[in-house]
Amino acid sequence: MSCNIELNYDKVTKLNFKPFYVIGKGGFGKVWKVEMKKTGKIYAMKEMFKTKIINKKSINSVMNER
């Protein structure tokens, strides 16, 4: 069994993606349909608001989700 995984350790930021539209909303933020500018691949990006997480005292559960 062979596995072709290309590891890329470059820092990926929000600026590496082109947003299209919101595909979902939750208690802490939104999920966006995005396209990676470099590759053209489509992803879902979760945007979370730090103040909402802290106010609801949900830091541990959010970090575990990661």
Side-chain angles (χ1 to χ4, degrees):
M1 182 172 151
S2 79
C3 186
N4 296 329
I5 298 174
E6 183 179 323
L7 298 176
N8 186 353
Y9 294 103
D10 293 336
K11 186 173 182 179
V12 178
T13 69
K14 191 174 169 180
L15 299 174
N16 295 107
F17 297 91
K18 175 184 171 186
F20 288 111
Y21 53 86
V22 175
I23 57 176
K25 292 182 182 179
F28 301 122
K30 301 173 186 174
V31 178
W32 291 82
K33 178 180 178 181
V34 296
E35 176 184 16
M36 187 170 227
K37 293 176 184 176
K38 191 174 182 179
T39 64
K41 289 186 179 181
I42 302 295
Y43 295 94
M45 177 187 290
K46 184 180 272 190
E47 173 184 46
M48 300 176 88
F49 301 105
K50 193 173 184 178
T51 54
K52 288 184 180 181
I53 295 166
I54 292 169
N55 289 340
K56 292 185 179 184
K57 298 182 171 116
S58 299
I59 297 167
N60 289 334
S61 63
V62 169
M63 293 306 287
N64 286 335
E65 183 179 319
R66 182 178 168 204

